[in-house]
């Protein structure tokens, strides 16, 4: 892992844009959409696999029933009631009252329980998510749960289930949809598994669009932002804590970082 090398950074961008990685993100986008009750297009798409499009258009369709959200919310009950936390000093001494007050204020200021409740839902819906804990512009901390389509990782050389670097890049559903013109398709939605044309669209070089892309890289040593061509667009800043400011929340893995399994929900 050598982010000082422009060729290495460019290769990382190419890997992020690979069809295999896009397929992973589209799968999680679908789970995210269904949980957020945007399931209409997916139902229509499934119907069109079984019936003629004209038949589907004439059907009386009920698209508002969504059991997935109910199941996920019922499974994600850990933070329905605020937890009781206990704290201990790494040095083995007793924690002073003013220190305890500062810690409790930090949890309150960062809305930590809200982020953990969201992470619990992402975990049950996606089988995996990341908790990001970084300083914010107010001088406090930002705690955020991130679903898997919004980040990539570079795995450790000696343990592929552990990340050596996190790369944040917001997955734009509309930007990366398969169809260019909805009117040419029988349905107006992403083809999550039939996506040949998307790769052709991405492969067309467009310098301006690539330069507008932003990828935020975090390693244990440094953090910086690069564009869609691997160029640095920010200063390389040292990571003051000396470790990745992310927590991987995931089900059991199979010698790879991302959990890849079907969604029973």
């Amino acid at each position: 892992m050598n982010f000082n090398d422009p060729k290495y950074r460019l290769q990382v961008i190419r890997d992020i844009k690979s069809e295999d990685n896009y397929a992973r993100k589209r799968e999680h986008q679908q789970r995210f959409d269904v949980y957020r009750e945007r399931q209409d297009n997916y139902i229509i798409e499934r119907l069109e696999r079984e019936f003629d499009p004209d038949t589907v258009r004439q059907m009386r369709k009920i698209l508002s029933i969504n059991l997935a959200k109910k199941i996920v919310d019922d499974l994600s009950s850990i933070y329905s009631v605020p937890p009781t936390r206990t704290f201990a000093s790494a040095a083995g001494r007793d924690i002073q009252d003013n220190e305890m007050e500062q810690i409790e204020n930090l949890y309150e200021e960062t809305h930590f329980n809200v982020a953990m409740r969201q992470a619990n839902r992402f975990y049950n819906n996606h089988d995996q998510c990341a908790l990001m804990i970084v300083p914010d512009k107010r001088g406090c901390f930002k705690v955020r749960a991130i679903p898997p389509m919004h980040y990539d990782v570079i795995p450790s050389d000696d343990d592929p289930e552990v990340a050596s670097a996190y790369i944040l890049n917001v997955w734009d559903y509309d930007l990366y949809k398969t169809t260019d013109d909805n009117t040419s398709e029988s349905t107006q939605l992403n083809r999550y598994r039939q996506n040949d044309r998307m790769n052709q669209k991405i492969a067309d070089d467009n310098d301006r669009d690539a330069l507008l892309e932003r990828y935020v890289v975090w390693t244990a040593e440094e953090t910086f932002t690069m564009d869609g061509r691997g160029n640095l667009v920010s200063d390389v800043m040292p990571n003051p804590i000396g470790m990745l400011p992310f927590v991987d929340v995931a089900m059991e893995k199979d010698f790879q970082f991302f959990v890849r399994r079907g969604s029973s929900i």
Side-chain angles (χ1 to χ4, degrees), residues 180-191:
D180 294 323
D181 181 5
N182 289 332
T183 60
S184 65
E185 286 291 323
S186 56
T187 58
Q188 299 180 8
L189 52 113
N190 246 354
R191 300 292 184 179

Side-chain angles (χ1 to χ4, degrees), residues 1 7 17 33 67 92 120 132 146 149 182 186 194 248:
M1 190 171 67
K7 293 182 179 179
K17 293 182 177 181
D33 286 341
L67 297 180
N120 192 201
M132 179 179 70
I146 308 175
M149 65 274 192
N182 289 332
S186 56
Q194 301 173 6
D248 179 35

Side-chain angles (χ1 to χ4, degrees), residues 4-256:
N4 293 324
D5 185 354
K7 293 182 179 179
Y8 180 82
R9 297 196 299 267
L10 183 58
Q11 184 58 53
V12 169
I13 297 295
R14 289 172 178 168
D15 290 344
I16 289 175
K17 293 182 177 181
S18 68
E19 182 52 43
D20 180 63
N21 196 45
Y22 274 178
R24 174 185 69 83
K25 293 188 176 185
R26 284 193 298 272
E27 169 67 25
H28 287 289
Q29 181 67 54
Q30 181 179 8
R31 298 190 195 187
F32 185 84
D33 286 341
V34 172
Y35 175 75
R36 292 296 178 93
E37 299 186 318
R38 298 194 291 259
Q39 69 272 11
D40 301 26
N41 285 338
Y42 301 107
I43 296 174
I44 295 174
E45 180 184 35
R46 181 60 63 88
L47 288 172
E48 288 189 352
R49 294 178 188 173
E50 304 293 333
F51 304 99
D52 183 88
D54 290 334
T55 302
V56 175
R57 279 194 291 269
Q58 295 174 17
M59 286 180 177
R60 181 188 176 192
K61 298 177 284 293
I62 300 176
L63 306 175
S64 59
I65 298 175
N66 188 333
L67 297 180
K69 179 174 174 56
K70 175 65 174 176
I71 293 171
V72 170
D73 288 347
D74 282 352
L75 289 172
S76 309
S77 59
I78 294 179
Y79 286 86
S80 297
V81 177
T84 300
R85 296 185 173 93
T86 58
F87 302 94
S89 169
R93 63 176 177 80
D94 293 335
I95 296 180
Q96 304 300 315
D97 290 342
N98 63 328
E99 293 175 321
M100 180 63 68
E101 182 181 2
Q102 184 180 23
I103 293 173
E104 291 176 348
N105 288 340
L106 187 60
Y107 274 89
E108 183 70 23
E109 179 69 18
T110 58
H111 305 288
F112 195 83
N113 287 345
V114 175
M116 292 298 292
R117 183 167 59 246
Q118 185 65 64
N120 192 201
R121 291 169 179 167
F122 285 159
Y123 169 82
N124 285 309
N125 191 36
H126 298 274
D127 301 325
Q128 186 171 19
C129 71
L131 270 174
M132 179 179 70
I133 307 174
V134 296
D136 63 13
K137 295 181 179 180
R138 301 174 300 154
C140 191
F141 289 95
K142 177 189 295 184
V143 181
R144 182 179 180 185
I146 308 175
M149 65 274 192
H150 290 323
Y151 63 93
D152 297 279
V153 303
I154 296 178
S156 170
D157 290 335
D158 54 3
D159 189 351
E161 296 182 1
V162 177
S164 291
Y166 275 79
I167 305 173
L168 303 178
N169 55 107
V170 174
W171 171 256
D172 190 330
Y173 173 78
D174 293 323
L175 179 62
Y176 297 118
K177 64 185 178 182
T178 303
T179 53
D180 294 323
D181 181 5
N182 289 332
T183 60
S184 65
E185 286 291 323
S186 56
T187 58
Q188 299 180 8
L189 52 113
N190 246 354
R191 300 292 184 179
Y192 274 84
R193 295 174 178 81
Q194 301 173 6
N195 45 36
D196 293 339
R197 277 176 291 177
M198 189 202 67
N199 196 36
Q200 295 171 8
K201 178 179 178 181
I202 293 297
D204 293 336
D205 290 336
N206 187 319
D207 290 346
R208 180 178 183 276
D209 288 346
L211 291 171
L212 291 176
E213 299 173 29
R214 292 293 182 267
Y215 299 84
V216 181
V217 180
W218 280 90
T219 72
E221 295 79 24
E222 59 191 15
T223 179
F224 60 89
T225 303
M226 58 185 179
D227 62 22
R229 294 175 61 87
N231 299 317
L232 296 178
V233 294
S234 75
D235 295 331
V236 178
M237 304 293 293
N239 184 343
I241 63 174
M243 60 187 296
L244 290 171
F246 296 88
V247 178
D248 179 35
V249 184
M251 303 190 75
E252 60 276 5
K253 300 180 180 181
D254 186 21
F255 294 103
Q256 58 181 339

